[in-house]
Amino acid sequence: MSKKAKSLILHFVLIILVVITIIPFLWMVFSSFKTNSEITSITPTFLPKLFTFNNYVNVQKSFNFLRLFANSLFLSVAITAIVIYTSTISGFVFAKYKFRGKNLLFGLVLGTMMIPWCVTIIPRYSMMLDFKWLDSYLAIIIPAAVSGFGIFMMRQSISTIPNEMLEAARIDGASEWFIFHKIVFPLSQNVISSIAIFQFLWSWEDYLWPYLIISSEEKQVLSVGLKMFNGRYGTDYGGLFAATTISIIPVLIVYLIFQKRFIDGIAASSVKG
Amino acid sequence: MAKTKTLRKESIFSLKNIVVTGLIIFYAVFLVIPIIMAFVGSFHKWNPLKGDFIYTGFENYTRVFTNDLFWSSLSNTLIFTIVVIFFRIVIGLGIALILYSSIVKGKTFFRAAFYMPVVTPLVAVSFVWVWMYNPQMGLINQILGTNINWLLNKDTALGSVIAMTIWKDYGYAVVLFLAGLYGLPKDCYEAAEIDGASGFSLFRYITLPLLKPMTLFVVITSIISYLQTYIQILVMTEGGPGTSTYVTSYLIFDEAFVKYNFGYASAISFVMFIVIAIFTVFAFKITSDKEKGGAK
């Protein structure tokens, strides 16, 4: 087979796969601009015949969408920022320091990734009950403040920073904190980007924990809100399409911001098996 | 590092000490204590609302193994996990190999497109797919010209959730395998090509073995997360119709937070924990055996 023909076939396969991958999103976005009668009509359409913004306007009327959106945004940004900091600093300690019980502690870190959530969720819930943290964001932020995945990724990448570089800074009189903030942190941007993408997504889509912890409706997060909206206003398909479309946007923005460094970050931290 | 120790006396409030202490406290409170509590609790009748904490021995565990719902949920969970992981790896590796090829253009675009479902919240895409599967308005029936009620039919419900999960997650495998391919040493290929290897044999004897660490990484992270699948079941089928999509995480959630049988739910989670451990060890074993075979 000629190179040209092979290249054509490969591109054709890729484009088909892209269409399959993207179509559910396009369909959702187009449907969010359709009227409810068009969505439910017997002769369905792909592109909206009658273009309307009403679904987006109404979604705020049917449930306090913006409030839940803001709650989710606040929680996800806060948790992501905290996790980036705790992962980088812990990764630094695991990669560049010696201390007693280091392997045991790192085992615990890996353990968080291996232990199923279903084992710890029940005791954690009963702990939150004892701490009187139910219906409080403390119960969502504090247990999520340290990420085993983040520390693991960071340790892998920070161990590739040459010791000589840190040593040179120490000789110049730099403190450990200075070295961390001014050398290690900036050098870790690629992995920080991948952690940011993953952590933001995980916090944004988290359903079960907020569902258990938060009881006041105005404190609830968007993913739980979407499910409640679906149950209560099950016939407002346009509203559901609009709400779902908006709920996807922040994650895509975070992805677009960080994606350039993202692949390098994954390559640097997870390949070396 | 040893040098600095002799140069400077370490303060109790050094970066290292603060971080290590912080981590110890964090993991003690949110990992070690909960595991011990769950383990002890699994031998008790435990209801935090009523204040019950009564020792019952192995009763919870006997109940798990004699519960038909547990067995059907476990079989659904295993089918789900195995099928999703299989397709995730095959599709992920296939696309990564195409994207890695030098004759393909627009790699960044394709990569971003394939990754889009991965960075989309699972709750949101589960909703989208409920509509995709809708018998009247759903896109899938429109395209196929059928009117199958995918999610309300015993024979198609589990498969439909599986298909959606593969769609959502394969992009992650693409990116990981692509990262793995870019990390492969070029000299291996050159040496093999000089020895006359080409095409499929290059793939079979060089690419595949070298990608093993990455494959193992994908398999193990997938086992842990898919054996605990919950969200798509909750949004798309709620375990039904009948018990055809009922998964073990759903059973645990139901027993714990709907019926408040914390002890019984803990017992099920420990059984799941063991299942996950067995599968993980199994995955390690398969790859290391192959290694021995390949070395012959």
Side-chain angles (χ1 to χ4, degrees):
Chain A
M1 205 184 333
S2 78
K3 211 171 178 185
K4 208 169 176 186
K6 207 173 151 192
S7 155
L8 261 164
I9 292 173
L10 288 185
H11 283 96
F12 183 71
V13 171
L14 285 174
I15 286 165
I16 298 237
L17 288 164
V18 165
V19 170
I20 295 173
T21 308
I22 299 293
I23 256 187
F25 292 109
L26 293 179
W27 186 59
M28 172 191 68
V29 174
F30 290 148
S31 300
S32 71
F33 295 109
K34 291 176 193 167
T35 59
N36 264 322
S37 59
E38 186 179 342
I39 294 171
T40 51
S41 85
I42 353 164
T43 48
T45 50
F46 190 70
L47 289 166
K49 258 189 295 192
L50 205 78
F51 195 87
T52 169
F53 273 109
N54 277 347
N55 294 323
Y56 286 91
V57 179
N58 288 341
V59 83
Q60 177 59 22
K61 283 184 204 147
S62 340
F63 77 122
N64 201 348
F65 183 83
L66 288 177
R67 178 64 200 260
L68 302 192
F69 185 88
N71 293 345
S72 277
L73 198 61
F74 165 73
L75 282 172
S76 306
V77 169
I79 292 172
T80 306
I82 296 171
V83 161
I84 285 173
Y85 192 81
T86 57
S87 304
T88 318
I89 201 164
S90 312
F92 176 45
V93 168
F94 279 117
K96 296 297 181 191
Y97 290 90
K98 287 186 191 122
F99 54 91
R100 270 212 301 175
K102 181 171 156 176
N103 290 337
L104 179 71
L105 192 59
F106 194 64
L108 278 178
V109 172
L110 294 182
T112 49
M113 294 194 281
M114 303 297 253
I115 305 285
W117 58 256
C118 49
V119 171
T120 49
I121 197 168
I122 296 165
R124 275 190 196 179
Y125 178 81
S126 100
M127 261 168 150
M128 297 301 132
L129 209 73
D130 294 338
F131 291 177
K132 308 246 179 312
W133 280 3
L134 289 190
D135 208 26
S136 133
Y137 284 167
L138 281 178
I140 295 183
I141 295 174
I142 304 293
V146 176
S147 148
F149 172 80
I151 298 177
F152 176 75
M153 299 268 285
M154 275 300 172
R155 189 197 77 139
Q156 301 283 94
S157 88
I158 293 173
S159 26
T160 62
I161 297 177
N163 283 330
E164 292 77 18
M165 195 190 267
L166 309 179
E167 215 44 57
R170 285 193 184 105
I171 289 164
D172 290 345
S175 74
E176 299 305 305
W177 294 97
F178 183 90
I179 290 172
F180 171 67
H181 288 117
K182 299 290 175 188
I183 300 175
V184 176
F185 205 83
L187 281 175
S188 307
Q189 284 187 23
N190 288 349
V191 185
I192 287 178
S193 303
S194 11
I195 295 177
I197 290 176
F198 282 121
Q199 190 58 55
F200 189 88
L201 170 68
W202 289 336
S203 310
W204 185 264
E205 72 175 3
D206 194 12
Y207 176 91
L208 201 51
W209 191 241
Y211 171 80
L212 291 175
I213 295 296
I214 304 299
S215 48
S216 353
E217 213 162 295
E218 77 276 3
K219 285 190 198 165
Q220 198 46 276
V221 300
L222 192 56
S223 55
V224 180
L226 277 179
K227 174 93 171 95
M228 292 190 310
F229 177 75
N230 189 24
R232 227 176 287 167
Y233 308 96
T235 46
D236 181 12
Y237 297 106
L240 282 167
F241 282 119
T244 313
T245 304
I246 305 175
S247 81
I248 288 173
I249 292 171
V251 198
L252 289 181
I253 291 175
V254 170
Y255 175 61
L256 290 175
I257 294 173
F258 289 107
Q259 65 132 357
K260 267 194 184 159
R261 299 175 171 280
F262 171 65
I263 299 277
D264 298 333
I266 291 208
S269 49
S270 54
V271 200
K272 291 153 194 131
Chain B
M1 244 172 290
K3 225 191 213 166
T4 36
K5 256 183 196 161
T6 51
L7 281 173
R8 258 186 256 162
K9 208 164 180 264
E10 202 181 15
S11 138
I12 313 172
F13 297 108
S14 72
L15 182 147
K16 181 187 87 181
N17 285 343
I18 290 179
V19 170
V20 172
T21 317
L23 285 177
I24 290 173
I25 295 172
F26 183 87
Y27 282 113
V29 173
F30 293 111
L31 187 71
V32 178
I33 296 175
I35 291 173
I36 296 170
M37 275 170 78
F39 187 69
V40 174
S42 70
F43 296 97
H44 288 75
K45 185 178 160 53
W46 177 13
N47 183 332
L49 292 187
K50 290 188 195 156
D52 281 352
F53 200 75
I54 306 154
Y55 181 73
T56 53
F58 280 94
E59 200 190 294
N60 287 327
Y61 287 93
T62 355
R63 248 179 88 195
V64 176
F65 292 115
T66 50
N67 182 355
D68 289 340
L69 193 56
F70 168 75
W71 290 110
S72 49
S73 78
L74 186 64
S75 102
N76 289 336
T77 307
L78 294 183
I79 293 171
F80 180 93
T81 305
I82 292 166
V83 176
V84 174
I85 293 180
F86 176 80
F87 281 103
R88 189 183 197 185
I89 290 194
V90 170
I91 298 174
L93 185 57
I95 295 180
L97 285 168
I98 297 180
L99 281 182
Y100 182 63
S101 157
S102 54
I103 51 173
V104 169
K105 295 206 172 68
K107 291 180 206 262
T108 325
F109 163 76
F110 285 119
R111 208 171 59 195
F114 294 136
Y115 211 70
M116 202 172 149
V118 182
V119 290
T120 311
L122 184 54
V123 183
V125 295
S126 300
F127 281 124
V128 176
W129 279 77
V130 171
W131 302 320
M132 293 278 293
Y133 284 130
N134 187 291
Q136 284 89 39
M137 336 168 327
L139 197 63
I140 290 181
N141 281 322
Q142 289 175 35
I143 291 169
L144 297 177
T146 49
N147 60 349
I148 300 167
N149 204 336
W150 297 96
L151 295 173
L152 281 178
N153 185 328
K154 260 192 168 88
D155 301 322
T156 55
L158 187 60
S160 304
V161 182
I162 287 175
M164 173 265 166
T165 311
I166 295 169
W167 169 85
K168 160 104 171 83
D169 285 347
Y170 79 90
Y172 182 59
V174 172
V175 169
L176 285 179
F177 281 124
L178 210 51
L181 286 169
Y182 284 125
L184 294 183
K186 296 272 177 301
D187 42 345
C188 274
Y189 284 94
E190 281 159 20
E193 270 168 21
I194 291 166
D195 288 348
S198 66
F200 186 72
S201 62
L202 268 183
F203 171 73
R204 168 71 187 82
Y205 293 105
I206 299 190
T207 311
L208 220 48
L210 285 174
L211 278 181
K212 207 180 292 163
M214 191 50 98
T215 313
L216 192 65
F217 181 80
V218 176
V219 170
I220 289 180
T221 50
S222 305
I223 288 173
I224 297 166
S225 66
Y226 291 134
L227 284 177
Q228 305 185 72
T229 296
Y230 177 82
I231 296 294
Q232 52 271 65
I233 302 292
L234 176 84
V235 173
M236 295 174 77
T237 62
E238 297 192 326
T243 57
S244 58
T245 59
Y246 204 91
V247 288
T248 314
S249 310
Y250 211 73
L251 181 65
I252 295 171
F253 178 81
D254 190 50
E255 288 295 342
F257 300 108
V258 179
K259 297 179 185 154
Y260 285 98
N261 293 325
F262 274 27
Y264 180 46
S266 297
I268 310 170
S269 12
F270 269 100
V271 175
M272 268 325 270
F273 187 18
I274 290 164
V275 172
I276 291 173
I278 291 171
F279 268 74
T280 313
V281 170
F282 193 64
F284 268 115
K285 247 199 129 61
I286 286 182
T287 38
S288 65
D289 282 353
K290 265 196 191 147
E291 201 150 32
K292 278 176 216 147
K296 266 175 213 165

